Amino acid sequence: MRWTLIEAQRLGYFIECEFDDQRRVTRLFLCHPESIRMLLAWYFVVLIDSTYKTNKYKQPLVQLIGVSLVKKNFNIGFALIYWGSLGPTSSRQCRWGDTNAIF
C-alpha cells in the first residue's frame, strides 16, 4: 500500500488516505488532476458504482465516472472505504470531509 501511495503521489494524483490505530487503511481516494479538470468542465452527469464482495476484505470499492458532452465516459476517481463493524449488507452512512453519502 505504501508503494501505491508513493507512486500515485509521484504521478500527481490527488490522494486522501486515512489509517486506523493499527495502521490499516480505512479510507482511500485517488483522483488524477486531469480527471478533476474534466469534471469541472463536464459536471452534469456523474455515475457512482460500488462493489464490495469481490475483494479479499469484502470492503466497497467505489468508482466515480463522468460523462462528457460528446457522450464519452471518463474516470473521475476511486475510493476504498472500510465500514468496520457495520457489515457489508447493512445500510450505512459515510462521512468524508464536509460531504455525507449514504450507501
Side-chain angles (χ1 to χ4, degrees):
M1 178 56 75
R2 178 181 292 272
W3 180 86
T4 301
L5 295 175
I6 291 169
E7 190 65 14
Q9 191 172 31
R10 184 185 72 78
L11 294 172
Y13 279 74
F14 171 77
I15 303 167
E16 282 287 328
C17 190
E18 294 179 10
F19 298 91
D20 64 8
D21 296 339
Q22 298 171 357
R23 299 285 301 149
R24 293 179 299 197
V25 175
T26 56
R27 289 180 176 86
L28 173 65
F29 179 75
L30 295 169
C31 183
H32 193 272
E34 183 68 15
S35 297
I36 294 171
R37 186 189 68 73
M38 292 176 73
L39 177 62
L40 292 174
W42 300 301
Y43 55 86
F44 303 108
V45 177
V46 175
L47 306 170
I48 302 172
D49 186 26
S50 176
T51 181
Y52 62 88
K53 291 187 176 183
T54 59
N55 60 43
K56 178 179 176 181
Y57 303 103
K58 297 189 180 3
Q59 299 304 323
L61 175 66
V62 178
Q63 181 180 16
L64 298 134
I65 302 165
V67 180
S68 73
L69 293 177
V70 293
K71 299 181 182 177
K72 297 289 183 179
N73 297 344
F74 62 94
N75 182 48
I76 298 170
F78 292 94
L80 183 63
I81 302 168
Y82 173 70
W83 296 114
S85 61
L86 292 173
T89 58
S90 65
S91 166
R92 58 192 84 66
Q93 185 171 358
C94 171
R95 180 164 177 82
W96 193 310
D98 294 331
T99 305
N100 283 319
I102 298 175
F103 294 95

